[in-house]
Amino acid sequence: MDKWDDNNLSDILEYPFDFERYIEERLREIDDLDERRFAKTVLLDGLGKLIQCTERKYRELERRVYEEVEPQDNQYETVMTVVCRDHYDPTNGTLFPVISMDLETENLAEQLCAEGKVYLGTIFLKADEEANRRFRAAGPFAGTLLWKGEEQDAAFLACPAGRYRDRMEQIYQVFQDNHILWETINTGFLDKFYDVYLDTWGSIGSTDLKPGEVSLKEAIIKLGEFAAAVLHDIIPLWNMEWISFDSADFMLPCISGTYYEHEFSLKDAEEKDGYLIQTNEEILEIRHEKEKIIIKSQKETFEGWKALHIIQRKTVRSLDYNEPLLTNHKRDTFFRRYSENRSVQLMTKTDLFRRIMELDIREYIEVVGYEICDNGKEYPAEEGMNWFVKDELFPMESRKVLLLKFEEKKPECFLNDSMVRFVISQIQMEISEYRCIGVMA
């Protein structure tokens, strides 16, 4: 639970009132200086202290009420950013590569070239969603490639980096296998990575190239309007890491019939850190209990099982970790605590806006209005950040549209519309009656 912050009281106080300022303003209306001094002594030294004492006791009462309504513990909040590959700090215990192979460029080239295409490298397009859509539709791009001291005309393809989408599907499946409620991960950075491949190339066939023999350093690509937004050697980081464990790390397993229950202890884990077990053919069941995870298997001994460790302590920014941190953290407020302890959610405008603004988006956008639209055809479906979550019971096409309107707080920021997509993706999971759409007002 977060430490008490007086800012939380802004959600509780019905109105702010500065008694001292009000008294000072009234004192100015007294022309006689002797009367003003006497009134100031009586009001500020006498009544003022009484008011301060009353406010202090009122705040103490609020504090007790606030702390009695405990928030639901969230051990699985995510944080994401991007850094230059050369600036990655392996000693930073809070941020890790989304794909560890991003640090091994030669192995990455071998893996991506195995599909029959010549992989040159990965770029990051630091631009908004609209620019990224145009970029995806603009290729192939013309340019030249330097090989053995000769420049030859070439064409290049920039494809969305599929390995990050695969990783997101994998993480979602891990949550499902552990029966943990899924919260939308803000993938505003991941959607802007592109793998660059050699499409056509002069008179020499691409089969003459070995994986890693050429890279973007030998290529000059005519990117036109996108050139200024393209960054090289950028990798995404998040607060998750894979750890391996085996049966030697456990006490003797408890046998029940033909099955073994292995205990993954959380007693020595960092406070609030989350752990999820990756299932495999040897694991039959995963069960989370207080301070431990029970893993059911027919194997008495095992090795190489994996767990996903989600770090919850404050994210550390290493040197040159300058880009924003995108999180799915929800602001801790009294109304959020209260609503989580209720069995019924009221679908009101106030409740809807509260849920939106509790997300970590306040620096970029704010919700300013909404509409319910019967004709959903005016708003074509767009892929959200939970594209791998399928709702097979209620088709999106048959729902009315909940149109949410947002206003930019940081005009021209390349993450603004990504924040809108993040909000819509999360609210869509909470509201099944409508198809949610977000627009800038």
Side-chain angles (χ1 to χ4, degrees):
M1 183 179 67
D2 293 337
K3 293 183 178 179
W4 175 264
D5 183 354
D6 285 341
N7 291 330
N8 290 314
L9 295 177
S10 62
D11 295 315
I12 303 173
L13 288 174
E14 295 180 0
Y15 61 91
F17 193 81
D18 189 340
F19 286 96
E20 290 187 3
R21 180 177 180 83
Y22 177 77
I23 292 174
E24 291 281 5
E25 289 176 348
R26 299 287 77 79
L27 289 173
R28 291 176 183 173
E29 299 174 2
I30 302 176
D31 296 328
D32 190 300
L33 295 181
D34 291 334
E35 289 186 10
R36 185 185 298 186
R37 291 191 189 96
F38 177 75
K40 184 173 184 180
T41 300
V42 173
L43 294 177
L44 289 182
D45 295 344
L47 182 60
K49 290 181 178 179
L50 177 61
I51 292 173
Q52 291 173 2
C53 181
T54 302
E55 285 190 332
R56 184 173 63 253
K57 290 185 177 296
Y58 182 64
R59 286 178 177 270
E60 289 175 356
L61 175 62
E62 285 182 330
R63 186 193 304 272
R64 289 199 299 272
V65 173
Y66 187 88
E67 293 181 347
E68 283 176 2
V69 185
E70 291 287 344
Q72 296 179 359
D73 287 334
N74 189 355
Q75 299 173 294
Y76 311 103
E77 290 183 351
T78 61
V79 180
M80 188 179 300
T81 189
V82 293
V83 301
C84 177
R85 182 185 287 108
D86 293 338
H87 295 159
Y88 171 64
D89 178 10
T91 65
N92 186 320
T94 61
L95 290 171
F96 306 89
V98 173
I99 303 290
S100 58
M101 196 173 291
D102 282 344
L103 300 175
E104 306 167 6
T105 54
E106 293 184 3
N107 292 335
L108 182 64
E110 289 183 5
Q111 178 177 327
L112 296 181
C113 285
E115 302 175 359
K117 297 180 288 186
V118 179
Y119 167 78
L120 300 178
T122 300
I123 60 175
F124 177 73
L125 189 66
K126 191 175 181 178
D128 60 22
E129 298 273 346
E130 176 59 31
N132 274 267
R133 282 192 287 269
R134 296 200 309 272
F135 182 76
R136 287 191 288 270
F141 298 94
T144 59
L145 184 69
L146 179 64
W147 191 62
K148 293 185 178 180
E150 296 183 6
E151 278 192 2
Q152 299 201 38
D153 292 336
F156 304 88
L157 286 175
C159 307
R163 61 187 179 278
Y164 300 126
R165 293 175 68 89
D166 294 341
R167 180 52 52 89
M168 288 302 305
E169 283 194 83
Q170 180 190 21
I171 296 298
Y172 174 71
Q173 190 58 52
V174 171
F175 271 78
Q176 298 306 297
D177 293 339
N178 285 261
H179 310 290
I180 301 298
L181 180 67
W182 175 258
E183 295 284 345
T184 306
I185 294 178
N186 193 331
T187 59
F189 285 129
L190 293 187
D191 302 327
K192 305 180 192 301
F193 280 92
Y194 299 89
D195 292 329
V196 180
Y197 297 91
L198 184 61
D199 188 23
T200 58
W201 177 30
S203 60
I204 303 176
S206 60
T207 55
D208 296 330
L209 293 174
K210 297 179 181 179
E213 190 173 3
V214 291
S215 67
L216 288 175
K217 295 179 180 179
E218 289 82 34
I220 299 176
I221 308 176
K222 299 177 182 178
L223 294 171
E225 62 171 308
F226 308 106
V230 170
L231 303 179
H232 297 268
D233 294 323
I234 302 296
I235 62 172
L237 308 179
W238 60 11
N239 64 326
M240 292 186 269
E241 63 169 340
W242 292 99
I243 58 175
S244 296
F245 61 96
D246 54 49
S247 53
D249 299 327
F250 297 90
M251 301 290 287
L252 290 176
C254 174
I255 184 170
S256 174
T258 58
Y259 300 105
Y260 294 86
E261 286 191 344
H262 302 278
E263 180 180 303
F264 187 94
S265 177
L266 302 177
K267 290 182 179 180
D268 298 328
E270 289 281 347
E271 184 182 3
K272 289 191 176 182
D273 277 9
Y275 288 85
L276 301 175
I277 306 300
Q278 185 180 36
T279 190
N280 56 48
E281 64 275 3
E282 297 178 344
I283 296 176
L284 303 177
E285 180 184 310
I286 302 170
R287 186 170 71 253
H288 286 247
E289 297 183 2
K290 187 175 182 179
E291 296 187 338
K292 61 184 176 181
I293 303 175
I294 304 299
I295 309 169
K296 185 177 179 181
S297 175
Q298 292 180 323
K299 304 282 290 186
E300 181 179 4
T301 61
F302 62 88
E303 60 181 13
W305 286 3
K306 289 188 176 182
L308 183 65
H309 178 204
I310 307 177
I311 293 86
Q312 297 302 292
R313 61 183 180 273
K314 184 177 180 180
T315 302
V316 176
R317 283 184 178 273
S318 297
L319 181 64
D320 293 324
Y321 280 30
N322 300 323
E323 291 298 332
L325 299 175
L326 304 188
T327 80
N328 61 0
H329 169 75
K330 291 183 179 179
R331 184 186 178 203
D332 182 19
T333 66
F334 176 79
F335 286 126
R336 179 189 169 203
R337 292 181 177 211
Y338 180 70
S339 64
E340 286 179 347
N341 284 274
R342 297 168 57 205
S343 58
V344 179
Q345 288 278 358
L346 291 178
M347 277 304 298
T348 64
K349 174 182 176 181
T350 300
D351 182 61
L352 175 62
F353 282 22
R354 173 191 62 79
R355 281 191 267 175
I356 292 174
M357 296 314 296
E358 281 173 356
L359 298 173
D360 195 12
I361 61 169
R362 297 180 301 279
E363 184 180 346
Y364 301 90
I365 59 174
E366 64 178 338
V367 59
V368 294
Y370 79 100
E371 290 182 22
I372 304 295
C373 305
D374 293 326
N375 185 11
K377 294 181 180 179
E378 297 180 9
Y379 304 97
E382 295 183 1
E383 185 178 79
M385 293 184 178
N386 295 317
W387 47 268
F388 39 79
V389 180
K390 307 298 181 184
D391 187 345
E392 299 176 353
L393 296 178
F394 304 101
M396 284 288 181
E397 296 76 14
S398 61
R399 306 183 196 182
K400 292 183 179 180
V401 168
L402 172 60
L403 183 67
L404 293 168
K405 301 176 181 180
F406 297 87
E407 194 172 83
E408 293 180 329
K409 298 182 74 174
K410 294 178 66 174
E412 306 303 325
C413 177
F414 76 103
L415 290 171
N416 285 344
D417 43 10
S418 294
M419 290 298 177
V420 172
R421 197 156 65 94
F422 166 63
V423 171
I424 296 302
S425 300
Q426 178 59 30
I427 294 299
Q428 186 67 75
M429 295 185 64
E430 301 177 14
I431 301 176
S432 58
E433 301 97 307
Y434 302 100
R435 180 164 62 89
C436 299
I437 299 291
V439 297
M440 288 294 182

